[in-house]
Amino acid sequence: WIIASLLLALYIRAASGKFLHPEQLNGMGLANWRIIIALGEITSALLFFFPKTNIFGTLLLSSFMGGAIIIHMIHGYSLLLPVGVLLLVWTNGFVRNPEFFAKFVP
């Protein structure tokens, strides 16, 4: 729950930054998409936080972080933060839903 709470706070803070500081996405060419990205982050983080929808949230946040990694690679930014967050999402998803991941491991 602690990791899930920290990730929820991280995504809400990131999304609020997109609402309050639109210039942060100008350099990446994503300024027109900032509202959609922010709402997607908030929705995915909430789905990730609650136990009944945690699996869907894990998959959606994985997709978001995959996109963030690609954007960071294209623009030459450090990959440390998005890769670290993605690992936390996967770790938390595995700990909270071992029965889901057991289906994929023989």
Side-chain angles (χ1 to χ4, degrees):
W1 283 103
I2 293 171
I3 294 172
S5 298
L6 291 173
L7 286 169
L8 177 65
L10 175 86
Y11 278 104
I12 289 176
R13 185 180 185 287
S16 66
K18 289 171 183 64
F19 287 122
L20 301 174
H21 304 287
E23 66 277 358
Q24 71 183 10
L25 293 178
N26 285 343
M28 297 180 202
L30 296 171
N32 294 337
W33 293 94
R34 68 184 176 85
I35 302 295
I36 294 171
I37 293 170
L39 291 175
E41 283 179 344
I42 292 170
T43 303
S44 300
L46 288 172
L47 288 172
F48 174 77
F49 185 73
F50 296 109
K52 286 188 178 186
T53 57
N54 181 263
I55 293 170
F56 298 116
T58 300
L59 296 174
L60 287 171
L61 289 180
S62 296
S63 299
F64 264 98
M65 294 318 299
I69 289 169
I70 289 171
I71 293 295
H72 280 239
M73 290 172 68
I74 289 171
H75 294 285
Y77 300 141
S78 172
L79 296 177
L80 192 59
L81 182 64
V83 169
V85 171
L86 180 59
L87 289 174
L88 281 175
V89 168
W90 286 345
T91 301
N92 195 275
F94 177 74
V95 168
R96 292 176 80 186
N97 300 295
E99 69 283 349
F100 175 75
F101 291 96
K103 296 176 187 176
F104 301 107
V105 179

